[in-house]
Amino acid sequence: MVHNPRLTRRSFTLACGAALTTWAMPRQARSQSGQSAEGFRILRAKPGRAELIGSGRSTPIWGYDGLVPGPTLRVKRSEDVRVRLVNELPEATTIHWHGLRLPNAMDGVAYLTQPPVLPGESFEYRFTPPDAGTYWYHPHFNSSEQLGRGLCGLLIVDEAEPPDVDQDIALVFNDWRLDLDGATEEASFRSFFDAAHAGRIGNVLTVNGKPKLDIPVRTNERLRLRLVNACSARLIRAQVDRRCRAVVMAVDGQPAEPFAARDSAVVLSPGARIDLFVDATLAPGENAPIIVSGYGHEAVLARLVCQAGAPARPEPLGDPKPLPANPLPERMDFNRALRIDVPIDGGAMSGMMMGRGMGGMMGRGMMGPGMMGPREGNGGGSDLRARIWTLAGRASSGHEGPPLFTIKRGRTAMLSFNNRTAFPHAMHVHGHHFRLLDKLDDGWKPFWLDTVLVMPSESTRIAFVADNPGKWVIHCHMLEHQESGMSAWFEVS
Ligand code: C2O
Ligand code: CU
Protein backbone atom coordinates (compact mmCIF):
# COMPACT_ATOMS: atom_id res chain seq x y z
CA MET A 1 0.00 0.00 0.00
CA VAL A 2 1.22 3.40 -0.83
CA HIS A 3 1.18 6.14 1.71
CA ASN A 4 -0.83 9.17 0.81
CA PRO A 5 0.38 12.40 2.26
CA ARG A 6 -2.04 14.09 4.57
CA LEU A 7 -1.01 17.67 4.47
CA THR A 8 -1.11 19.37 7.78
CA ARG A 9 -1.49 23.07 8.10
CA ARG A 10 0.07 23.26 11.47
CA SER A 11 2.16 26.37 11.56
CA PHE A 12 5.85 26.21 11.11
CA THR A 13 7.38 26.16 14.53
CA LEU A 14 10.96 25.15 14.69
CA ALA A 15 12.02 26.42 18.12
CA CYS A 16 14.17 29.13 19.63
CA GLY A 17 16.52 31.28 17.66
CA ALA A 18 19.12 34.03 16.95
CA ALA A 19 21.21 35.90 13.98
CA LEU A 20 21.13 37.33 10.36
CA THR A 21 23.18 38.52 7.21
CA THR A 22 22.04 40.08 3.81
CA TRP A 23 22.90 41.19 0.39
CA ALA A 24 20.79 42.69 -2.28
CA MET A 25 20.87 41.04 -5.60
CA PRO A 26 19.16 42.08 -8.78
CA ARG A 27 17.25 39.18 -10.26
CA GLN A 28 19.38 39.04 -13.37
CA ALA A 29 22.69 39.22 -11.53
CA ARG A 30 25.01 36.47 -12.63
CA SER A 31 28.59 35.83 -11.69
CA GLN A 32 30.67 36.49 -14.75
CA SER A 33 34.22 36.88 -13.63
CA GLY A 34 36.92 34.24 -13.60
CA GLN A 35 35.64 32.05 -16.40
CA SER A 36 38.00 29.38 -17.69
CA ALA A 37 38.18 28.45 -21.36
CA GLU A 38 36.02 25.37 -20.77
CA GLY A 39 33.30 27.47 -19.23
CA PHE A 40 34.23 26.70 -15.64
CA ARG A 41 33.63 29.48 -13.16
CA ILE A 42 36.88 29.72 -11.20
CA LEU A 43 36.37 30.03 -7.45
CA ARG A 44 39.48 30.73 -5.44
CA ALA A 45 39.31 29.78 -1.78
CA LYS A 46 41.73 32.25 -0.27
CA PRO A 47 42.44 34.66 2.56
CA GLY A 48 40.94 38.14 2.35
CA ARG A 49 39.64 40.92 4.54
CA ALA A 50 36.10 42.03 5.37
CA GLU A 51 34.54 44.92 7.26
CA LEU A 52 32.44 42.82 9.55
CA ILE A 53 32.06 45.35 12.33
CA GLY A 54 32.02 48.52 10.26
CA SER A 55 33.79 51.74 11.23
CA GLY A 56 36.66 51.05 8.90
CA ARG A 57 38.05 48.09 10.84
CA SER A 58 38.59 44.99 8.82
CA THR A 59 38.95 41.37 9.84
CA PRO A 60 41.13 38.77 8.12
CA ILE A 61 38.82 36.12 6.69
CA TRP A 62 38.88 33.16 4.37
CA GLY A 63 36.46 33.46 1.50
CA TYR A 64 35.66 32.31 -2.01
CA ASP A 65 37.46 34.86 -4.18
CA GLY A 66 38.41 36.38 -0.82
CA LEU A 67 34.82 37.54 -0.19
CA VAL A 68 32.23 37.00 2.56
CA PRO A 69 29.89 35.63 1.46
CA GLY A 70 31.55 34.34 -1.70
CA PRO A 71 30.18 35.10 -5.18
CA THR A 72 26.56 34.16 -5.75
CA LEU A 73 26.31 31.53 -8.44
CA ARG A 74 23.07 31.66 -10.37
CA VAL A 75 21.71 29.27 -12.96
CA LYS A 76 18.37 28.23 -14.37
CA ARG A 77 16.97 24.84 -13.45
CA SER A 78 18.49 22.18 -15.73
CA GLU A 79 21.40 24.45 -16.62
CA ASP A 80 24.90 23.21 -15.81
CA VAL A 81 26.88 24.39 -12.83
CA ARG A 82 30.59 24.28 -13.64
CA VAL A 83 33.00 25.42 -10.99
CA ARG A 84 36.75 25.00 -10.71
CA LEU A 85 37.75 25.28 -7.08
CA VAL A 86 41.30 26.59 -6.76
CA ASN A 87 42.71 26.14 -3.29
CA GLU A 88 44.80 29.12 -2.23
CA LEU A 89 44.35 28.41 1.48
CA PRO A 90 47.13 27.18 3.75
CA GLU A 91 45.25 23.88 4.21
CA ALA A 92 43.14 21.38 2.30
CA THR A 93 39.49 22.06 1.47
CA THR A 94 36.51 20.95 -0.68
CA ILE A 95 33.20 22.44 -1.78
CA HIS A 96 29.96 20.84 -0.67
CA TRP A 97 26.76 22.00 -2.43
CA HIS A 98 24.36 22.08 0.46
CA GLY A 99 20.84 20.84 -0.28
CA LEU A 100 21.44 19.90 -3.89
CA ARG A 101 20.30 16.49 -5.00
CA LEU A 102 23.34 16.03 -7.19
CA PRO A 103 25.45 13.05 -8.28
CA ASN A 104 27.44 11.63 -5.37
CA ALA A 105 30.85 12.31 -6.90
CA MET A 106 30.10 16.06 -6.84
CA ASP A 107 28.99 16.18 -3.19
CA GLY A 108 32.36 17.44 -1.96
CA VAL A 109 32.66 15.41 1.22
CA ALA A 110 36.35 14.97 1.96
CA TYR A 111 37.42 11.30 2.07
CA LEU A 112 33.90 9.96 1.40
CA THR A 113 33.21 11.32 -2.08
CA GLN A 114 36.54 12.89 -3.04
CA PRO A 115 40.05 13.39 -1.68
CA PRO A 116 40.63 16.74 0.02
CA VAL A 117 41.89 19.39 -2.40
CA LEU A 118 45.39 20.24 -1.19
CA PRO A 119 46.83 23.77 -1.09
CA GLY A 120 47.77 24.82 -4.62
CA GLU A 121 45.53 22.19 -6.19
CA SER A 122 42.17 22.46 -7.87
CA PHE A 123 39.05 20.38 -8.41
CA GLU A 124 36.27 20.68 -10.97
CA TYR A 125 32.64 20.41 -9.98
CA ARG A 126 30.08 19.91 -12.68
CA PHE A 127 26.44 19.00 -12.24
CA THR A 128 22.93 19.93 -13.28
CA PRO A 129 20.75 21.01 -10.38
CA PRO A 130 17.46 19.10 -10.58
CA ASP A 131 15.61 21.60 -8.41
CA ALA A 132 15.03 25.35 -8.49
CA GLY A 133 15.54 27.17 -5.20
CA THR A 134 17.93 28.65 -2.67
CA TYR A 135 21.04 26.58 -2.02
CA TRP A 136 24.49 27.32 -0.73
CA TYR A 137 28.03 26.03 -0.84
CA HIS A 138 30.70 25.62 1.81
CA PRO A 139 33.73 23.43 2.61
CA HIS A 140 33.30 19.88 3.89
CA PHE A 141 36.74 19.64 5.42
CA ASN A 142 37.70 21.16 8.76
CA SER A 143 34.27 22.72 8.37
CA SER A 144 33.92 24.43 11.71
CA GLU A 145 37.06 26.47 11.21
CA GLN A 146 36.67 27.02 7.47
CA LEU A 147 33.08 28.24 7.74
CA GLY A 148 33.96 30.09 10.90
CA ARG A 149 36.55 32.03 8.91
CA GLY A 150 33.96 32.89 6.29
CA LEU A 151 33.96 30.30 3.49
CA CYS A 152 30.40 30.14 2.15
CA GLY A 153 28.41 31.30 -0.86
CA LEU A 154 24.97 31.05 -2.43
CA LEU A 155 23.85 28.95 -5.33
CA ILE A 156 20.52 30.15 -6.62
CA VAL A 157 18.67 28.03 -9.12
CA ASP A 158 16.00 30.08 -10.85
CA GLU A 159 12.56 28.78 -11.70
CA ALA A 160 11.88 28.49 -15.44
CA GLU A 161 9.08 31.05 -15.00
CA PRO A 162 10.17 33.79 -12.62
CA PRO A 163 7.65 34.29 -9.81
CA ASP A 164 5.80 37.56 -9.49
CA VAL A 165 8.03 39.62 -7.18
CA ASP A 166 9.54 43.09 -7.48
CA GLN A 167 12.84 42.32 -5.78
CA ASP A 168 14.79 39.17 -5.06
CA ILE A 169 17.15 39.61 -2.13
CA ALA A 170 19.28 37.11 -0.26
CA LEU A 171 20.13 37.59 3.40
CA VAL A 172 23.08 35.42 4.39
CA PHE A 173 23.61 35.34 8.13
CA ASN A 174 27.03 34.61 9.62
CA ASP A 175 28.35 34.92 13.10
CA TRP A 176 31.92 35.54 14.13
CA ARG A 177 34.02 35.23 17.24
CA LEU A 178 36.05 38.43 17.30
CA ASP A 179 38.06 40.33 19.85
CA LEU A 180 37.70 44.08 20.38
CA ASP A 181 39.99 44.93 17.46
CA GLY A 182 37.92 42.82 15.13
CA ALA A 183 40.50 40.04 14.96
CA THR A 184 39.36 36.41 15.00
CA GLU A 185 39.66 34.65 18.35
CA GLU A 186 41.85 31.88 17.03
CA ALA A 187 41.72 29.74 20.15
CA SER A 188 37.95 29.36 19.83
CA PHE A 189 38.41 27.05 16.84
CA ARG A 190 39.79 24.41 19.16
CA SER A 191 37.45 24.96 22.07
CA PHE A 192 36.53 21.68 23.68
CA PHE A 193 33.99 23.54 25.79
CA ASP A 194 32.12 24.85 22.72
CA ALA A 195 32.16 21.45 21.08
CA ALA A 196 30.64 19.87 24.17
CA HIS A 197 27.97 22.57 24.52
CA ALA A 198 25.95 24.50 21.92
CA GLY A 199 28.87 24.86 19.48
CA ARG A 200 30.94 27.90 18.56
CA ILE A 201 28.45 30.75 18.93
CA GLY A 202 29.84 34.04 17.66
CA ASN A 203 29.69 37.42 19.33
CA VAL A 204 29.23 39.37 16.09
CA LEU A 205 26.45 38.85 13.57
CA THR A 206 26.58 39.91 9.95
CA VAL A 207 24.20 39.95 7.08
CA ASN A 208 25.90 39.53 3.71
CA GLY A 209 29.21 40.15 5.44
CA LYS A 210 28.12 43.51 6.86
CA PRO A 211 26.80 44.68 10.22
CA LYS A 212 23.57 45.95 8.66
CA LEU A 213 21.66 46.15 5.42
CA ASP A 214 19.16 48.71 4.20
CA ILE A 215 16.83 47.52 1.48
CA PRO A 216 15.13 50.33 -0.43
CA VAL A 217 11.50 49.47 -1.25
CA ARG A 218 8.46 51.19 -2.73
CA THR A 219 5.03 51.10 -1.16
CA ASN A 220 3.29 47.74 -1.74
CA GLU A 221 6.21 46.09 -3.41
CA ARG A 222 6.55 42.34 -3.01
CA LEU A 223 10.00 41.07 -2.04
CA ARG A 224 11.37 37.60 -2.16
CA LEU A 225 13.73 37.32 0.79
CA ARG A 226 16.00 34.31 0.76
CA LEU A 227 17.15 33.79 4.33
CA VAL A 228 20.22 31.62 4.78
CA ASN A 229 21.77 30.59 8.08
CA ALA A 230 25.49 30.14 7.37
CA CYS A 231 26.54 30.25 11.04
CA SER A 232 28.52 27.35 12.43
CA ALA A 233 26.12 26.58 15.26
CA ARG A 234 23.76 29.47 15.95
CA LEU A 235 20.01 29.16 15.61
CA ILE A 236 18.54 32.23 14.03
CA ARG A 237 15.14 33.67 14.72
CA ALA A 238 14.42 36.35 12.16
CA GLN A 239 11.37 38.52 12.49
CA VAL A 240 10.11 40.88 9.84
CA ASP A 241 8.22 43.92 11.13
CA ARG A 242 4.66 42.73 11.76
CA ARG A 243 3.19 45.46 9.57
CA CYS A 244 4.54 43.56 6.57
CA ARG A 245 2.99 40.20 5.86
CA ALA A 246 5.58 37.44 5.49
CA VAL A 247 4.59 34.24 3.72
CA VAL A 248 6.84 31.18 3.74
CA MET A 249 7.22 30.06 0.12
CA ALA A 250 10.08 27.59 0.29
CA VAL A 251 12.00 25.75 2.97
CA ASP A 252 15.52 24.43 2.45
CA GLY A 253 15.25 25.32 -1.21
CA GLN A 254 12.07 23.36 -1.92
CA PRO A 255 8.70 25.02 -2.57
CA ALA A 256 6.27 24.68 0.34
CA GLU A 257 2.53 25.02 0.45
CA PRO A 258 2.59 28.79 1.20
CA PHE A 259 1.77 29.66 4.78
CA ALA A 260 1.95 32.83 6.81
CA ALA A 261 4.91 32.97 9.18
CA ARG A 262 3.53 33.27 12.70
CA ASP A 263 4.33 36.76 14.02
CA SER A 264 6.19 37.26 10.72
CA ALA A 265 9.05 35.30 12.29
CA VAL A 266 10.93 32.18 11.26
CA VAL A 267 13.65 30.10 12.87
CA LEU A 268 16.56 28.78 10.86
CA SER A 269 18.91 26.14 12.13
CA PRO A 270 22.48 26.23 10.82
CA GLY A 271 22.42 25.30 7.13
CA ALA A 272 18.72 26.06 6.69
CA ARG A 273 17.11 28.39 4.15
CA ILE A 274 13.67 29.94 4.09
CA ASP A 275 12.26 31.91 1.17
CA LEU A 276 9.73 34.51 2.25
CA PHE A 277 7.45 36.70 0.20
CA VAL A 278 7.16 39.98 2.09
CA ASP A 279 4.79 42.79 1.15
CA ALA A 280 6.16 46.24 1.86
CA THR A 281 2.94 47.76 3.16
CA LEU A 282 4.72 50.93 4.23
CA ALA A 283 4.30 54.62 3.53
CA PRO A 284 7.19 56.63 2.09
CA GLY A 285 9.66 57.46 4.85
CA GLU A 286 8.65 54.48 7.02
CA ASN A 287 10.94 51.57 7.54
CA ALA A 288 10.44 48.00 8.70
CA PRO A 289 13.18 46.32 10.71
CA ILE A 290 14.20 42.68 10.37
CA ILE A 291 15.19 41.64 13.85
CA VAL A 292 17.41 38.72 14.64
CA SER A 293 17.27 37.40 18.18
CA GLY A 294 18.54 34.62 20.39
CA TYR A 295 21.27 33.83 22.90
CA GLY A 296 20.25 36.85 24.95
CA HIS A 297 20.63 39.33 22.11
CA GLU A 298 18.42 41.12 19.68
CA ALA A 299 19.64 43.14 16.71
CA VAL A 300 18.18 44.91 13.72
CA LEU A 301 20.26 43.38 10.96
CA ALA A 302 18.27 44.73 8.05
CA ARG A 303 15.54 47.24 7.30
CA LEU A 304 13.09 47.74 4.49
CA VAL A 305 13.32 51.47 3.84
CA CYS A 306 10.34 52.88 2.00
CA GLN A 307 11.28 55.43 -0.66
CA ALA A 308 9.43 58.58 -1.58
CA GLY A 309 7.41 58.50 -4.76
CA ALA A 310 4.54 56.64 -6.29
CA PRO A 311 3.57 53.27 -4.82
CA ALA A 312 4.51 50.19 -6.83
CA ARG A 313 0.77 49.42 -6.96
CA PRO A 314 -2.30 50.79 -5.18
CA GLU A 315 -2.83 47.65 -3.07
CA PRO A 316 -0.45 44.88 -2.05
CA LEU A 317 -0.65 41.73 -4.16
CA GLY A 318 -3.01 38.98 -3.01
CA ASP A 319 -2.15 35.53 -1.69
CA PRO A 320 0.84 34.18 -3.61
CA LYS A 321 0.42 30.99 -5.55
CA PRO A 322 2.91 28.24 -4.74
CA LEU A 323 6.28 28.22 -6.48
CA PRO A 324 6.43 25.66 -9.30
CA ALA A 325 7.05 22.18 -7.91
CA ASN A 326 10.42 20.48 -8.25
CA PRO A 327 10.62 16.85 -9.35
CA LEU A 328 10.51 15.31 -5.87
CA PRO A 329 8.96 11.91 -5.15
CA GLU A 330 5.21 12.22 -4.80
CA ARG A 331 4.68 9.14 -2.72
CA MET A 332 6.54 7.07 -0.19
CA ASP A 333 5.92 3.43 0.59
CA PHE A 334 5.91 3.37 4.36
CA ASN A 335 4.94 -0.30 4.65
CA ARG A 336 8.19 -1.45 3.14
CA ALA A 337 10.29 1.36 4.53
CA LEU A 338 13.63 0.77 6.17
CA ARG A 339 13.24 2.03 9.72
CA ILE A 340 16.32 3.23 11.52
CA ASP A 341 16.56 4.49 15.07
CA VAL A 342 19.16 7.18 15.54
CA PRO A 343 19.57 8.00 19.21
CA ILE A 344 21.69 11.08 19.80
CA ASP A 345 23.86 11.02 22.90
CA GLY A 346 26.73 12.82 24.54
CA GLY A 347 27.84 16.35 25.18
CA ALA A 348 28.01 18.30 28.38
CA MET A 349 25.42 17.54 31.04
CA SER A 350 24.72 14.12 29.57
CA GLY A 351 25.08 10.81 31.30
CA MET A 352 27.95 10.06 28.99
CA MET A 353 29.84 13.15 30.14
CA MET A 354 28.80 12.93 33.77
CA GLY A 355 29.91 9.35 34.10
CA ARG A 356 33.35 10.03 32.78
CA GLY A 357 33.87 13.64 33.70
CA MET A 358 35.71 15.90 31.34
CA GLY A 359 38.89 13.91 31.88
CA GLY A 360 37.15 10.79 30.74
CA MET A 361 35.85 12.53 27.64
CA MET A 362 39.34 13.37 26.55
CA GLY A 363 40.60 9.96 27.48
CA ARG A 364 41.11 6.86 25.46
CA GLY A 365 37.50 5.74 25.68
CA MET A 366 36.24 8.63 23.57
CA MET A 367 38.85 8.54 20.87
CA GLY A 368 38.93 6.41 17.80
CA PRO A 369 42.16 4.98 16.50
CA GLY A 370 44.66 7.74 15.87
CA MET A 371 42.56 10.41 17.57
CA MET A 372 44.97 12.31 19.69
CA GLY A 373 42.90 15.18 21.03
CA PRO A 374 43.76 18.67 19.82
CA ARG A 375 44.44 18.96 16.17
CA GLU A 376 47.95 19.28 14.88
CA GLY A 377 49.10 21.08 11.77
CA ASN A 378 46.98 21.49 8.68
CA GLY A 379 46.27 18.11 7.34
CA GLY A 380 44.15 16.64 10.08
CA GLY A 381 40.88 18.38 9.52
CA SER A 382 38.13 16.93 11.58
CA ASP A 383 39.89 13.69 12.30
CA LEU A 384 41.83 14.70 15.33
CA ARG A 385 39.06 16.12 17.47
CA ALA A 386 37.91 14.55 20.66
CA ARG A 387 34.82 12.39 20.32
CA ILE A 388 32.09 13.87 22.47
CA TRP A 389 28.84 12.97 20.71
CA THR A 390 27.40 9.81 19.24
CA LEU A 391 24.82 8.98 16.60
CA ALA A 392 23.27 5.55 17.04
CA GLY A 393 25.93 4.72 19.58
CA ARG A 394 28.94 5.65 17.45
CA ALA A 395 31.19 8.66 17.40
CA SER A 396 32.46 9.16 13.88
CA SER A 397 33.83 11.84 11.63
CA GLY A 398 31.35 10.62 9.05
CA HIS A 399 33.48 8.61 6.67
CA GLU A 400 35.43 6.01 8.61
CA GLY A 401 33.90 2.79 9.83
CA PRO A 402 30.83 0.97 8.51
CA PRO A 403 27.74 2.80 7.21
CA LEU A 404 24.85 3.59 9.53
CA PHE A 405 22.70 1.70 7.02
CA THR A 406 22.63 0.66 3.41
CA ILE A 407 19.46 0.86 1.41
CA LYS A 408 18.36 -0.24 -2.04
CA ARG A 409 17.78 2.56 -4.45
CA GLY A 410 14.12 3.58 -4.51
CA ARG A 411 13.25 2.27 -1.06
CA THR A 412 11.86 4.62 1.56
CA ALA A 413 13.97 5.34 4.63
CA MET A 414 12.33 6.37 7.90
CA LEU A 415 14.71 7.77 10.45
CA SER A 416 13.82 8.44 14.02
CA PHE A 417 16.13 10.91 15.75
CA ASN A 418 15.91 10.72 19.50
CA ASN A 419 17.76 13.59 21.14
CA ARG A 420 18.88 12.41 24.58
CA THR A 421 21.28 15.30 25.05
CA ALA A 422 20.88 18.72 26.67
CA PHE A 423 21.28 20.65 23.37
CA PRO A 424 19.37 21.12 20.13
CA HIS A 425 20.85 19.50 17.03
CA ALA A 426 20.37 20.33 13.35
CA MET A 427 20.36 16.98 11.62
CA HIS A 428 21.32 17.28 7.96
CA VAL A 429 21.00 14.58 5.31
CA HIS A 430 23.03 14.80 2.10
CA GLY A 431 21.74 14.10 -1.39
CA HIS A 432 18.04 13.91 -0.47
CA HIS A 433 15.23 16.08 0.82
CA PHE A 434 12.97 14.55 3.43
CA ARG A 435 9.54 14.93 4.97
CA LEU A 436 9.03 15.72 8.61
CA LEU A 437 6.46 13.30 9.98
CA ASP A 438 3.75 14.20 12.44
CA LYS A 439 4.17 12.99 15.97
CA LEU A 440 1.11 10.80 16.18
CA ASP A 441 0.53 9.44 12.72
CA ASP A 442 2.32 9.17 9.43
CA GLY A 443 1.06 12.47 8.02
CA TRP A 444 3.72 14.95 7.09
CA LYS A 445 4.28 18.68 7.12
CA PRO A 446 3.59 20.68 3.96
CA PHE A 447 7.25 21.26 3.17
CA TRP A 448 10.49 19.41 2.51
CA LEU A 449 13.69 19.78 4.50
CA ASP A 450 17.34 18.90 4.22
CA THR A 451 18.08 19.86 7.83
CA VAL A 452 15.80 19.31 10.80
CA LEU A 453 16.14 20.82 14.22
CA VAL A 454 15.74 18.25 16.99
CA MET A 455 15.24 19.79 20.40
CA PRO A 456 16.47 18.23 23.66
CA SER A 457 14.38 15.27 24.85
CA GLU A 458 12.54 15.30 21.54
CA SER A 459 12.01 12.49 19.06
CA THR A 460 11.65 13.50 15.45
CA ARG A 461 10.85 11.24 12.55
CA ILE A 462 11.72 11.93 8.95
CA ALA A 463 11.17 9.98 5.75
CA PHE A 464 12.68 10.13 2.30
CA VAL A 465 12.94 8.02 -0.82
CA ALA A 466 16.55 6.89 -1.12
CA ASP A 467 16.67 7.57 -4.84
CA ASN A 468 20.18 8.97 -5.19
CA PRO A 469 22.90 6.31 -5.40
CA GLY A 470 26.16 6.72 -3.52
CA LYS A 471 27.62 7.38 -0.11
CA TRP A 472 25.99 10.21 1.80
CA VAL A 473 26.61 11.77 5.17
CA ILE A 474 24.12 12.49 7.92
CA HIS A 475 25.44 14.90 10.51
CA CYS A 476 24.64 17.67 12.88
CA HIS A 477 25.07 21.04 11.15
CA MET A 478 26.31 22.53 14.37
CA LEU A 479 29.74 22.04 12.95
CA GLU A 480 31.62 21.63 16.21
CA HIS A 481 29.24 18.76 17.00
CA GLN A 482 29.74 17.27 13.57
CA GLU A 483 33.47 17.32 14.09
CA SER A 484 33.36 15.78 17.52
CA GLY A 485 31.37 12.69 16.68
CA MET A 486 27.89 13.62 15.39
CA SER A 487 28.37 12.34 11.91
CA ALA A 488 27.61 9.11 10.07
CA TRP A 489 27.12 7.94 6.51
CA PHE A 490 24.74 5.69 4.59
CA GLU A 491 24.85 4.08 1.22
CA VAL A 492 22.19 3.93 -1.47
CA SER A 493 23.01 1.00 -3.76
CU1 C2O B 1 25.99 22.06 4.79
CU2 C2O B 1 27.30 18.23 5.32
O1 C2O B 1 26.71 20.12 5.07
CU1 CU C 1 24.50 19.09 17.25
Side-chain angles (χ1 to χ4, degrees), residues 158-360:
D158 281 313
E159 294 81 14
E161 284 284 303
D164 190 13
V165 296
D166 301 298
Q167 297 198 58
D168 182 341
I169 292 169
L171 305 180
V172 180
F173 300 111
N174 288 90
D175 71 350
W176 310 84
R177 190 79 75 80
L178 305 180
D179 65 21
L180 290 175
D181 302 322
T184 302
E185 271 180 27
E186 297 284 332
S188 66
F189 289 124
R190 280 154 288 278
S191 166
F192 176 77
F193 181 91
D194 284 356
H197 290 76
R200 185 175 174 272
I201 307 294
N203 55 1
V204 169
L205 289 169
T206 57
V207 60
N208 300 344
K210 300 190 174 55
K212 224 174 214 165
L213 179 78
D214 275 349
I215 304 165
V217 299
R218 286 179 306 148
T219 302
N220 294 335
E221 263 188 351
R222 175 163 285 174
L223 286 78
R224 179 180 192 163
L225 296 183
R226 303 176 189 257
L227 310 184
V228 183
N229 184 353
C231 299
S232 310
R234 176 184 285 268
L235 300 173
I236 288 192
R237 179 179 191 269
Q239 181 171 40
V240 181
D241 189 301
R242 282 212 198 83
R243 280 173 297 175
C244 302
R245 184 166 76 136
V247 176
V248 176
M249 297 299 295
V251 181
D252 285 353
Q254 300 292 356
E257 207 189 302
F259 59 94
R262 190 197 288 174
D263 293 331
S264 291
V266 291
V267 172
L268 297 113
S269 55
R273 288 88 62 217
I274 290 181
D275 290 42
L276 294 176
F277 279 7
V278 173
D279 293 317
T281 43
L282 300 167
E286 285 183 333
N287 62 60
I290 297 174
I291 295 171
V292 170
S293 58
Y295 306 87
H297 295 281
E298 198 174 273
V300 176
L301 281 193
R303 297 187 311 169
L304 311 185
V305 180
C306 192
Q307 310 294 295
R313 56 186 61 83
E315 298 289 333
L317 293 170
D319 289 342
K321 58 176 204 301
L323 295 167
N326 286 323
L328 285 154
E330 268 160 30
R331 284 156 191 282
M332 296 188 197
D333 183 350
F334 282 1
N335 288 342
R336 273 175 299 167
L338 179 65
R339 289 164 196 258
I340 310 282
D341 282 325
V342 188
I344 304 171
D345 291 287
M349 294 175 275
S350 69
M352 194 168 140
M353 288 287 274
M354 299 300 190
R356 294 162 190 267
M358 294 293 263

Side-chain angles (χ1 to χ4, degrees), residues 197-198 344 389 423-427 476-479 481-482 486:
H197 290 76
I344 304 171
W389 306 90
F423 296 91
H425 300 290
M427 300 310 302
C476 179
H477 220 285
M478 279 120 177
L479 302 170
H481 295 173
Q482 175 196 359
M486 280 192 78

Side-chain angles (χ1 to χ4, degrees), residues 402-433:
L404 180 61
F405 60 92
T406 54
I407 186 167
K408 260 222 150 42
R409 185 176 185 180
R411 194 172 171 196
T412 296
M414 278 176 101
L415 267 51
S416 174
F417 296 113
N418 183 1
N419 183 354
R420 307 192 289 197
T421 79
F423 296 91
H425 300 290
M427 300 310 302
H428 174 49
V429 177
H430 281 215
H432 301 79
H433 273 76

Side-chain angles (χ1 to χ4, degrees), residues 96 98 136 138 140 428 430 475 477:
H96 166 58
H98 181 120
W136 67 298
H138 64 75
H140 225 285
H428 174 49
H430 281 215
H475 63 84
H477 220 285

